[in-house]
Amino acid sequence: MSVRVGFGYDSHRLVEGRPLMLGGLHVPHTLGSSGHSDADVLLHALCDALLGALAMGDIGSHFPDTDPAYKDADSRELLAAVVALIQGKGWTVGNVDCTVVLERPKLRPHIDTMRRIIAELLGLAQDAVSVKATTNEKMGFAGREEGVCAYAVALLEKK
Ligand code: MG
């Protein structure tokens, strides 16, 4: 069996007046992530991990933030498009593991919903989708609540 691994990272500013979208879920909070699309750092990091596994560029090269077509884009649709690209090349997702870095709010009550959404988009069982969350101990931009970031790795298997 042939396998490939990919890594992704994304960050967005936290601002007032925007929804906080994480893992395809609207997480209630006083701040939201700013960006051209819905600015879902978790799904963006996942897209980059999947694309990275096949050295197929990054999310910005496939869905440019200068393109009005992606204004306020639903990142679930971007991830679904990336999955279709991968499957078109004869690969399937084995498992993914992600970490979101955010001071507030606590994500634990939302983690399993995010896993379910991501598992559905990737065509995986929920136990093949790991979503973890950590604060940054008040250090750096995430610690000062200026932004949110996410890291992801993905394993792909040749069908
Ligand atoms: Mg992004």
Side-chain angles (χ1 to χ4, degrees), residues 75-142:
S75 296
R76 291 174 301 181
E77 289 173 18
L78 305 186
L79 182 57
V82 167
V83 171
L85 277 173
I86 283 161
Q87 288 175 341
K89 297 246 178 198
W91 291 79
T92 182
V93 185
N95 75 297
V96 297
D97 182 22
C98 323
T99 297
V100 180
V101 186
L102 182 70
E103 289 296 313
R104 290 184 309 143
K106 286 281 174 234
L107 294 182
R108 183 171 296 275
H110 307 293
I111 293 283
D112 283 342
T113 309
M114 292 178 195
R115 291 175 63 214
R116 182 177 51 74
I117 293 169
I118 292 166
E120 210 163 282
L121 288 165
L122 300 182
L124 286 177
Q126 198 167 315
D127 68 2
V129 176
S130 162
V131 176
K132 310 185 301 299
T134 183
T135 72
N136 218 31
E137 297 279 340
K138 301 198 186 318
M139 297 179 288
F141 71 84

Side-chain angles (χ1 to χ4, degrees), residues 10-12 37 39-41 44 59:
D10 192 34
S11 63
H12 282 270
S37 68
D40 187 324
V41 285
H44 292 184
I59 189 170

Side-chain angles (χ1 to χ4, degrees), residues 54-75:
L54 297 185
M56 288 173 69
D58 59 34
I59 189 170
S61 61
H62 289 269
F63 314 107
D65 64 7
T66 48
D67 187 336
Y70 303 116
K71 176 102 179 76
D72 295 323
D74 181 338
S75 296

